[in-house]
Amino acid sequence: MTRFVAMTAIATVMGSAAFAGNLIEPVVEPAPAPAPVVVNEGGDWTGFYLGGQVGQLDADASNGASGDDTAYGVHAGYNYDFGRFVLGGELDYDATDLDLGGGATVDSVARAKVKAGYDFGRVLAYVTGGVAEADSSLGSETGDFYGVGVAYQVTDQWQIGGEVLEHDFDQFGSSGVGADATSVSLRASFKF
């Protein structure tokens, strides 16, 4: 009988250990978090760029004359991207044949610009201002201008955009005639 009790005790212990093993819930390890996906959203505006523009120049002279004509030209500049804030400088030149009437014409406008903008990724919205020199049949005049613009990165190197600028010229040569002018242009640039 001792042998029977010993066998029963061993079977009970072994059975309860096996049964107890079924009561233990398995430990489930959490799945590792997926690695973040880096998407190239553009937005690196730092660098030199060179391009061209075409648009419309509309001028109203202080003597009542006015006119508008197509303007086309070139531009070159440099931007520095501070993260979301972009600061830059640019030189541009537009040729035109704007007739103000009475034999007065505007032949070209050259500008030195400062630009400050916000980096939205592939889109840059900016304000700009600076000094412009207009060459006309009445003489040359230096004035100031201000405006707004937007640029879009088609690729890392190519950009397209547009700009609207307001100009103020006090007096061309010694004519006593000044003018306010508005230019609207479409631009394309290559960034180096």
Side-chain angles (χ1 to χ4, degrees):
M1 173 117 171
T2 318
R3 190 171 181 196
F4 175 72
V5 174
M7 291 294 263
T8 305
I10 291 174
T12 303
V13 171
M14 291 183 81
S16 62
F19 182 69
N22 290 338
L23 293 178
I24 298 175
E25 292 189 25
V27 176
V28 178
E29 294 287 328
V37 177
V38 178
V39 177
N40 182 6
E41 295 180 3
D44 183 10
W45 295 92
T46 298
F48 288 98
Y49 60 92
L50 178 67
Q53 67 265 4
V54 63
Q56 190 77 9
L57 180 64
D58 182 18
D60 295 313
S62 59
N63 66 358
S66 64
D68 60 80
D69 194 36
T70 301
Y72 50 91
V74 294
H75 59 265
Y78 180 82
N79 288 326
Y80 188 82
D81 194 334
F82 290 92
R84 286 295 183 192
F85 178 71
V86 178
L87 188 62
E90 181 179 296
L91 299 174
D92 78 15
Y93 177 85
D94 281 332
T96 187
D97 191 18
L98 191 147
D99 185 1
L100 290 173
T105 61
V106 176
D107 303 316
S108 65
V109 179
R111 301 174 193 90
K113 300 177 181 177
V114 174
K115 296 167 46 176
Y118 188 80
D119 177 355
F120 289 98
R122 287 202 176 273
V123 175
L124 174 66
Y126 61 90
V127 294
T128 185
V131 177
E133 182 173 337
D135 186 27
S136 77
S137 58
L138 301 173
S140 294
E141 170 63 7
T142 300
D144 53 20
F145 73 92
Y146 61 91
V148 296
V150 64
Y152 173 73
Q153 288 181 343
V154 178
T155 67
D156 288 342
Q157 282 79 39
W158 287 102
Q159 304 165 9
I160 58 173
E163 218 172 54
V164 178
L165 304 175
E166 293 290 333
H167 305 75
D168 182 29
F169 300 105
D170 290 334
Q171 176 176 298
F172 290 96
S174 59
S175 68
V177 177
D180 293 328
T182 302
S183 66
V184 179
S185 62
L186 297 175
R187 301 159 50 91
S189 307
F190 182 81
K191 185 179 87 167
F192 297 94

